[in-house]
Amino acid sequence: MGPDRNGVRAGGRRASTAAAVTLVCALTVLAAPGTAFAAPDPTPATSGSPSAPATPPPDKDLEAVQAKLDALYHDAAVATDAYNAAEEAADKQSAAIVDLAKKIVKGQQKLDGLKARAGRAAAAQYRTGGLPDSAKLLLSDNPSQFLDGAGRVLEGQRATKGLIAELTQTQQDLKQYAADAADRWNELEAGRKAKAAAKKKIQQRIAAAEKLQSSLEKKQKERLAELERASADKAQTAWLDTGILDEIHTKATAAGRKAVAFATAQIGKPYVWGAEGPDSFDCSGLTSQAWASAGRPIPRTSQEQWKQLKHVDVKDMRPGDLIIYFDDASHVAMYVGDGAIIQAPRPGRTVTLGGAGTMPILGVVRPDA
């Protein structure tokens, strides 16, 4: 499943203040989806003779094992999406906090300047205070000059009112910036806890799946792989038998070809939850980076890709479109044409080419609509 991350994204971006986020929809490679089943006893029955070969377990027992593995990896995929979403939110919150801090610094500098101006205005008013304007006019050696000065005084009074209003608004802005920053810090802390909980769940589910797999003997693992391939082939054949490829004729756009080229170049790289390249990927890390390379940034997680991108009918999909799988949108792959997808399947697997119909399709979205 890749190296121990210890909360650090393997091969992904990092935000300034927050730990950059990401995890993903790890699902069964190209196998049919799993639902929760009780874990079967993986130990095969043996004959009475120590030297006799182990009796292969019934396929139904291994099918139950596969269902349990699918359920564990599906839970890990859902938690990965939650982790990635929390990390993405943390990046935005951290950037907002930095922006607010800059506004507070500028606002305080402006406030200091306004206070200095107000102080100078108050001092000038004090020096010219005392006598009423009528007395100043009578005592003036140059009445015309005095009247000109009186006009300037009126202008100064209006400027003083404007200064006071600006000073008051600046103080209110600073107060609001401080409140917004406090809210962002609270959101950042809540996101940190959500991210930690998602990480724990991912690690628990992956560890349980690895433990279950390690309890199988070599022949059981080989047979399990055969059953998985057979299940995937059966699902793909059933999907193709609907005649869907007879309806899909749309060609890729220039951006779609770039996205497909990027995804194709990643084949063979390991799946690592929360990773978005360049050396490893999770499912939505692969699709989001593929489209970023084509100049079309898209949401980071499979669930947000499903929510925010334009939906198209399966029969209208074209290479570069993203196929969203399972009712909870917990997995995503890129359609590359001829009924095939490129995907980062799940922990322990690599980015691979497979059949688009091997998992239940929720729908198709188009990044470059």
Side-chain angles (χ1 to χ4, degrees):
M1 76 173 258
D4 181 12
R5 298 164 50 80
N6 293 322
V8 178
R9 169 182 306 158
R13 59 178 167 64
R14 274 284 162 206
S16 54
T17 3
V21 234
T22 217
L23 40 145
V24 114
C25 333
L27 247 285
T28 73
V29 207
L30 294 171
T35 50
F37 286 84
D41 181 1
T43 308
T46 57
S47 66
S49 170
S51 59
T55 302
D59 281 354
K60 64 181 179 63
D61 290 346
L62 288 178
E63 288 171 358
V65 171
Q66 185 61 54
K68 180 63 176 177
L69 288 172
D70 286 347
L72 289 169
Y73 283 124
H74 178 267
D75 285 351
V78 173
T80 294
D81 231 30
Y83 179 96
N84 287 339
E87 188 174 33
E88 191 172 37
D91 289 346
K92 293 178 180 178
Q93 289 155 3
S94 296
I97 289 171
V98 171
D99 184 58
L100 285 167
K102 291 178 179 178
K103 287 182 178 179
I104 289 172
V105 170
K106 285 186 176 180
Q108 189 59 56
Q109 292 173 343
K110 181 179 180 181
L111 185 63
D112 291 342
L114 291 171
K115 286 182 177 179
R117 285 173 55 194
R120 289 193 296 271
Q125 186 176 12
Y126 175 79
R127 287 194 300 271
T128 60
L131 292 174
D133 290 341
S134 57
K136 292 178 184 177
L137 176 60
L138 292 173
L139 295 173
S140 174
D141 294 331
N142 190 336
S144 177
Q145 185 180 25
F146 171 78
L147 291 173
D148 290 341
R152 288 194 294 272
V153 168
L154 289 174
E155 291 178 3
Q157 289 174 342
R158 286 192 291 267
T160 299
K161 289 181 180 179
L163 174 62
I164 293 172
E166 189 176 3
L167 193 148
T168 301
Q169 184 60 54
T170 302
Q171 289 174 323
Q172 291 174 347
D173 289 344
L174 282 171
K175 186 177 180 180
Q176 186 61 52
Y177 293 154
D180 290 346
D183 289 342
R184 291 292 185 178
W185 277 113
N186 290 335
E187 291 172 4
L188 193 62
E189 177 62 14
R192 184 193 65 78
K193 292 178 180 178
K195 190 169 137 184
K199 177 183 175 182
K200 183 178 180 181
K201 185 174 182 179
I202 295 165
Q203 293 173 330
Q204 287 176 338
R205 297 303 187 272
I206 292 175
E210 290 175 343
K211 182 178 180 180
L212 179 56
Q213 288 173 303
S214 66
S215 69
L216 301 175
E217 295 181 355
K218 182 179 179 181
K219 288 185 177 180
Q220 290 176 304
K221 292 178 181 178
E222 291 173 351
R223 181 56 183 156
L224 189 65
E226 290 175 6
L227 291 173
E228 183 180 345
R229 285 192 294 271
S231 177
D233 290 344
K234 182 180 179 181
Q236 176 71 357
T237 299
W239 184 68
L240 294 176
D241 284 347
T242 64
I244 187 66
L245 289 190
D246 295 334
E247 301 183 46
I248 301 175
H249 302 293
T250 311
K251 294 182 179 180
T253 61
R257 287 193 294 272
K258 289 180 181 179
V260 170
F262 178 94
T264 303
Q266 313 314 312
I267 290 177
K269 293 184 178 181
Y271 175 101
V272 175
W273 62 266
E276 47 186 340
D279 301 320
S280 56
F281 296 87
D282 60 25
C283 71
S284 59
L286 175 64
T287 55
S288 61
Q289 288 303 302
W291 273 102
S293 75
R296 300 293 180 92
I298 63 174
R300 170 64 178 87
T301 68
S302 60
Q303 293 178 347
E304 288 304 310
Q305 288 169 8
W306 174 243
K307 289 178 183 177
Q308 297 185 35
L309 300 180
K310 180 182 178 180
H311 292 202
V312 297
D313 289 338
V314 175
K315 64 181 178 60
D316 295 327
M317 68 181 173
R318 63 194 184 199
D321 285 347
L322 306 181
I323 302 180
I324 309 296
Y325 292 96
F326 304 100
D327 289 342
D328 54 6
S330 57
H331 189 63
V332 61
M334 178 176 290
Y335 183 66
V336 294
D338 296 326
I341 56 171
I342 292 177
Q343 64 164 338
R346 65 164 174 80
R349 302 293 172 83
T350 60
V351 175
T352 186
L353 181 71
T358 56
M359 297 168 285
I361 295 174
L362 176 62
V364 178
V365 295
R366 178 161 294 162
D368 61 338

